[in-house]
Amino acid sequence: MELVATRNKGAEDVLPSESYIWQNTERLMADTAKTYGFREIRFPTFEKTELFIRSVGETTDVVQKEMWTVKGRESTYTLRPEGTAGAIRAVLQNGLLNEAMPQKIYYQISAFRHENVQKGRLWEFHQFGAEMVGSAAPAADAQIIQMAGDILNKLGISTELHINSIGCKQCRTKYYEALRAYFAPDKEKLCETCQSRFEKNPMRLLDCKSEICKGIAANAPIITDYLCDECAEHFAKVKALLESLGIEYTVDPRIVRGLDYYTRTVFEFISRDIGAQATVCGGGRYDGLIEEMGGPSTPALGFAMGMERLILAMKAKENGSSDSVCDLYIVAADSDSTGGKALEATVRTASAARAKGKWAEYDLCGRGFKAQMKYANKIGAKYLVVIGESELESGTVRVKNMATGEESETALDAVADVIG
Ligand code: HAM
């Protein structure tokens, strides 16, 4: 019979032996975001396809090639390829723009892109993202970049920060003309998708994944030479603030990002430890997106980190935090004379330990005395207690510290207090 229990390509399982790394990482991110005033937002896995076309942009690879789209009865829906569109849709729809500005939100989500699967590039992946809505100030750009860097540092991941400014609509008009003039002689050699982007959105020609297009784009004009005065001043202030915070960066005029909503500051954190898919975090400003979605003109910015890539980087550095282990294993040593009373006392003692937040275990597989001792060792239990006839009679037990071998005598109902 065909095995139906096979995982799909481009998706991963996280097993109990590794899920603690995810939990600790997610907790650290949420705790750090909180210190900057960000609170969690949750929103659906799918949205109307139109939302992503309007926000991510119809000439992007994400929209043209990578969306997982389902035709429903009422509309066409897409599994979110990223978080910004859905998060901002939720902000708008729920009236958060009427609250005190800036609004600061974060999310931990799964996202879906139909890409060529490889290490660090999946069909279903996970992001930690943060968005700040309502501030046009360069200090907001610096804060967003600082928070991303703070999280990466706390995770022990070494990264390089690359920043750029891709200007506003006004600077782009001149820049697009320069790009078209540059690409025009080689237009026929570009891939089909890039040929169709030539008129509509020539900046997209700069982040095509085809080697031929990459080669042609190598000496293309750079946006930083075309910034208007306001955008240039904004970028200068962001850089000055980063310097005053001691945050090292490289200006990389080739960063254009793969999503259309960006304006002005864009950035990426690159890890040197995880191979080709090295961008662990990407983000930037998107001052036109909220208006594009039908809301009032409102500046905004944010970033997202790829969880799988972060965890690869943490493993490469061997600095995943440690998992918790069983605090207390209780061996129930029932005999004919105890008639099941040892198991009853064991169950009660485990409950008392759990009520104090301890991880307590006892046998559920019919193991004998020796096999239970062996099992306690195997799972690395910190403390061991045996409850048998004499313990039931005296109401006391010996609590054994499995690491040191030390034992102490304790009242049965006080075990939870002595296992520290
Ligand atoms: P993005 O650069 O498309 O930006 O994705 C952010 C991060 O998600 C990437 O740097 C990468 O670590 C991870 N990632 C993307 N695609 C995949 C994939 N197929 N497999 C594994 N990891 C992946 C955004 O998504 C924007 N929404 C970020 C943002 C928020 N900008 C402003 N606010």
Side-chain angles (χ1 to χ4, degrees), residues 82 84 107 113 115 120-122 125 127 131 257 259 261-262 279-284 286 302-304 306 309:
E82 55 100 57
T84 308
Y107 47 84
R113 294 186 194 176
E115 297 195 75
R121 187 187 276 169
L122 297 160
F125 60 102
Q127 287 187 337
E131 314 290 350
R257 309 278 299 128
L259 312 161
Y261 46 65
Y262 291 110
T279 310
V280 289
C281 173
Y286 48 90
F303 68 79
R309 291 186 195 177

Side-chain angles (χ1 to χ4, degrees), residues 370-382:
K370 268 197 180 154
Q372 288 191 49
M373 300 290 269
K374 217 169 148 187
Y375 179 74
N377 258 319
K378 192 173 170 192
I379 63 170
K382 286 191 223 160

Side-chain angles (χ1 to χ4, degrees), residues 87-285:
I88 295 299
R89 196 266 313 132
V91 163
L92 271 171
Q93 192 166 6
N94 295 291
L96 300 191
L97 289 185
N98 302 324
E99 308 207 349
M101 290 289 147
Q103 283 291 301
K104 296 178 175 181
I105 51 174
Y106 76 84
Y107 47 84
Q108 316 218 21
I109 59 166
S110 53
F112 304 83
R113 294 186 194 176
H114 203 291
E115 297 195 75
N116 287 332
V117 173
Q118 51 179 278
K119 188 178 163 201
R121 187 187 276 169
L122 297 160
W123 283 355
E124 179 181 14
F125 60 102
H126 296 80
Q127 287 187 337
F128 171 88
E131 314 290 350
M132 192 197 299
V133 175
S135 172
D141 305 50
Q143 186 176 103
I144 274 284
I145 293 172
Q146 182 190 12
M147 181 165 110
D150 202 356
I151 289 172
L152 295 169
N153 286 339
K154 284 183 185 164
L155 292 173
I157 297 172
S158 49
T159 52
E160 285 168 23
L161 167 62
H162 291 205
I163 63 170
N164 190 20
S165 173
I166 55 169
C168 61
K169 262 193 188 154
Q170 197 195 326
C171 341
R172 293 225 197 124
T173 315
K174 281 188 287 164
Y175 183 52
Y176 283 5
E177 276 170 25
L179 283 177
R180 286 195 195 99
Y182 172 85
F183 282 104
D186 293 315
K187 194 176 165 196
E188 302 307 314
K189 293 185 210 147
L190 294 169
C191 75
E192 233 172 80
T193 325
C194 280
Q195 289 195 25
S196 72
R197 291 163 168 171
F198 181 88
E199 282 307 327
K200 277 192 185 160
N201 192 350
M203 221 159 78
R204 285 274 78 87
L205 304 182
L206 302 176
D207 70 337
C208 180
K209 286 167 192 149
S210 130
E211 289 305 324
I212 296 173
C213 299
K214 271 191 203 166
I216 297 172
N219 296 312
I222 52 175
I223 177 74
T224 27
D225 289 340
Y226 293 84
L227 294 182
C228 66
D229 290 349
E230 288 83 5
C231 288
E233 193 188 332
H234 184 95
F235 195 37
K237 285 186 178 156
V238 173
K239 288 188 284 185
L241 278 164
L242 292 178
E243 279 154 36
S244 76
L245 284 165
I247 297 173
E248 285 178 23
Y249 63 83
T250 308
V251 174
D252 180 351
R254 305 252 156 233
I255 298 181
V256 288
R257 309 278 299 128
L259 312 161
D260 269 354
Y261 46 65
Y262 291 110
T263 52
R264 294 194 164 175
T265 316
V266 287
F267 59 91
E268 291 179 350
F269 284 87
I270 317 285
S271 157
R272 295 278 169 235
D273 302 321
I274 56 170
Q277 299 310 310
T279 310
V280 289
C281 173
R285 207 169 246 295

Side-chain angles (χ1 to χ4, degrees), residues 9-135:
K9 163 184 161 182
E12 283 181 349
D13 300 312
V14 178
L15 302 180
S17 55
E18 294 216 326
S19 57
Y20 74 93
I21 305 178
W22 284 74
Q23 290 178 342
N24 291 346
T25 306
E26 285 163 356
R27 203 172 303 125
L28 181 145
M29 291 169 156
D31 289 347
T32 306
K34 224 179 275 167
T35 67
Y36 289 80
F38 286 72
R39 291 179 304 159
E40 189 182 15
I41 188 162
R42 298 188 186 202
F43 48 94
T45 311
F46 66 99
E47 302 278 351
K48 290 205 181 69
T49 303
E50 186 55 27
L51 179 82
F52 299 114
I53 297 176
R54 283 276 286 278
S55 54
V56 171
E58 60 178 344
T59 55
T60 58
D61 270 4
V62 171
V63 166
Q64 288 187 313
K65 303 177 185 167
E66 297 166 4
M67 293 210 296
W68 290 89
T69 296
V70 184
K71 204 171 160 357
R73 270 187 224 152
E74 295 81 8
S75 185
T76 303
Y77 305 99
T78 295
L79 295 178
R80 58 187 170 206
E82 55 100 57
T84 308
I88 295 299
R89 196 266 313 132
V91 163
L92 271 171
Q93 192 166 6
N94 295 291
L96 300 191
L97 289 185
N98 302 324
E99 308 207 349
M101 290 289 147
Q103 283 291 301
K104 296 178 175 181
I105 51 174
Y106 76 84
Y107 47 84
Q108 316 218 21
I109 59 166
S110 53
F112 304 83
R113 294 186 194 176
H114 203 291
E115 297 195 75
N116 287 332
V117 173
Q118 51 179 278
K119 188 178 163 201
R121 187 187 276 169
L122 297 160
W123 283 355
E124 179 181 14
F125 60 102
H126 296 80
Q127 287 187 337
F128 171 88
E131 314 290 350
M132 192 197 299
V133 175
S135 172

